[in-house]
Amino acid sequence: MRNIKSTKTLSVIAAILLSVFAVGEATADPINGSFESGLTGWTGTGTTGVSYGTKVTDIGEVVTASPDGGYYAYVTTTGGALSSGLGSNPPGTYASEYNGSTLRYEFSAGAGDVLQFFFNYVTTDGVEDSTGTNFADYAWARVLGTGLSEIGSLLVDTRTELGGVNGSWNFTRGEAWFPLGTDSGSCFGTKCGYTGWLQSAAYTFTSAGNYILEFGVVNWSDEDQQSGLAFDGVTLTPGDPGDPPEVPEPASLALLGLGLVGIGALRRRKSA
């Protein structure tokens, strides 16, 4: 009977020790980033949607299928919410955002996990030829905390041409895209067009936790001349298994100490 009790005690201690090293670990959530099932899991404000890539090719629009293929998601300023209703301030300090749209996805990530995606920005707004006044709309992608605080640097900011790594930021003239509504195919001033599909720079999470991925676009100064951001192939890749493990938290170390004390007490009982 004594041996059975000892075995049970050892099992409990082993479970405690295993729990110590499980603390702080996080498993990356799969992200609905291919949009084959629509916008499941995403929360939108303003005007958002999904479209099938080959369909736009058939009708001559500039946003063709992404490198990921199939469906892509988009946000557009057409019929967008006032910027004050987007739930968080648009990034930057530009101060003249008028209206726009956002899509957000909440997920968990582990330290070392890598986030990446494809995007294509289309705008019918630009620089007014006669005065040089800049009415340029812009789009972005960023990581937020669950309290909507911005974490780290912007992943994409089309106003500063930040974030693309595979492709040129040179705009190609052509603005025909159905999410732009009646402004599709038009251009105000100069510097209109589309970027083509670019791949974002890889974003590596430095700590495990819950996060929100946000894509957005806003009209600049007024709601004339629309712009939109298409995105696809959103992936969250687990970090390198060879990365060093996280240092146990103080509470975990306390549990480890209790386990070691239990082992010592068991040995004393057996030798008594």
Side-chain angles (χ1 to χ4, degrees):
M1 182 64 69
R2 182 168 180 145
N3 289 337
I4 294 175
K5 289 183 178 180
S6 299
T7 301
K8 288 183 177 179
T9 304
L10 286 172
S11 298
V12 171
I13 293 173
I16 292 174
L17 294 177
L18 287 173
S19 69
V20 168
F21 297 102
V23 172
E25 293 182 358
T27 302
D29 281 346
I31 293 179
N32 173 23
S34 64
F35 307 106
E36 303 308 304
S37 58
L39 291 175
T40 302
W42 292 81
T43 301
T45 301
T47 305
T48 65
V50 296
S51 181
Y52 194 70
T54 56
K55 177 181 178 182
V56 296
T57 304
D58 294 340
I59 58 179
E61 297 193 350
V62 298
V63 182
T64 57
S66 79
D68 189 55
Y71 289 87
Y72 63 83
Y74 65 84
V75 289
T76 175
T77 57
T78 306
L82 292 177
S83 61
S84 60
L86 293 179
S88 64
N89 292 326
T93 56
Y94 310 126
S96 292
E97 294 79 4
Y98 189 81
N99 73 315
S101 304
T102 60
L103 270 172
R104 295 187 181 128
Y105 193 94
E106 187 169 352
F107 62 99
S108 64
D113 290 353
V114 178
L115 177 70
Q116 204 163 18
F117 52 87
F118 297 101
F119 68 96
N120 190 350
Y121 177 60
V122 188
T123 182
T124 68
D125 216 349
V127 177
E128 188 174 5
D129 296 320
S130 59
T131 65
T133 303
N134 188 351
F135 287 94
D137 305 339
Y138 70 94
W140 70 89
R142 59 181 174 176
V143 174
L144 304 172
T146 53
L148 299 184
S149 58
E150 192 172 298
I151 296 177
S153 303
L154 293 172
L155 308 182
V156 171
D157 179 3
T158 64
R159 196 173 180 85
T160 62
E161 300 187 1
L162 167 72
V165 293
N166 291 339
S168 170
W169 271 98
N170 294 327
F171 276 80
T172 300
R173 279 304 308 271
E175 300 81 29
W177 190 34
F178 76 93
L180 304 182
T182 57
D183 290 326
S184 175
S186 67
C187 176
F188 179 81
T190 60
K191 297 186 179 179
C192 301
Y194 65 102
T195 62
W197 286 103
L198 303 177
Q199 188 175 34
S200 72
Y203 178 87
T204 302
F205 291 89
T206 58
S207 60
N210 296 321
Y211 299 95
I212 296 172
L213 174 61
E214 177 186 79
F215 292 92
V217 63
V218 288
N219 258 320
W220 177 256
S221 182
D222 56 39
E223 58 182 331
D224 296 332
Q225 299 300 132
Q226 309 307 319
S227 301
L229 179 71
F231 54 97
D232 196 12
V234 184
T235 58
L236 183 64
T237 305
D240 185 353
D243 290 344
E246 294 185 5
V247 177
E249 298 176 359
S252 300
L253 293 175
L255 286 174
L256 177 59
L258 289 174
L260 294 176
V261 170
I263 291 175
L266 178 60
R267 286 178 175 175
R268 286 194 295 274
R269 288 180 60 192
K270 291 180 68 176
S271 61

